[in-house]
Amino acid sequence: MGDKMRIKELQSFDVVNVIDGDKLGKIIDLEINYENGQILSFTVSPKSFASFFNKNKNIVIPWEEVVKFGTEVIIVNHEMD
């Protein structure tokens, strides 16, 4: 994976919750501290058929909840409301 990644590459990753194994969706936005470049959080858009009808809201995941980066997946530890 190297030490660099483009936002476009990051957006292709699936975000999976380690708590229940559910796929939360794909990254659509990042919140970045402009002073030091640190990622503070990212926003995930649910990508399921059910979310189309339920109008599920986007999920904001603090960077501290990232458990692991895989080759195609980001694993997070996120308590759902």
Side-chain angles (χ1 to χ4, degrees):
M1 199 151 117
D3 60 350
K4 297 180 186 177
M5 181 178 290
R6 295 178 178 266
I7 291 175
K8 185 175 182 176
E9 293 169 314
L10 191 60
Q11 290 175 316
S12 70
F13 282 49
D14 289 323
V15 178
V16 175
N17 198 348
V18 72
I19 293 173
D20 55 13
D22 280 349
K23 178 180 167 186
L24 300 178
K26 302 272 189 185
I27 295 174
I28 59 167
D29 200 5
L30 295 174
E31 180 183 8
I32 299 173
N33 179 324
Y34 70 89
E35 291 178 358
N36 63 15
Q38 179 181 10
I39 298 173
L40 302 174
S41 66
F42 54 90
T43 304
V44 175
S45 177
K47 297 284 187 184
S48 70
F49 186 70
S51 68
F52 176 76
F53 292 106
N54 294 335
K55 302 292 183 203
N56 285 349
K57 295 179 182 174
N58 294 334
I59 303 163
V60 177
I61 302 189
W63 189 254
E64 297 81 28
E65 294 182 0
V66 173
V67 174
K68 178 120 173 125
F69 272 86
T71 56
E72 298 177 9
V73 86
I74 299 170
I75 300 172
V76 298
N77 186 352
H78 183 73
E79 282 289 333
M80 299 298 286
D81 296 333

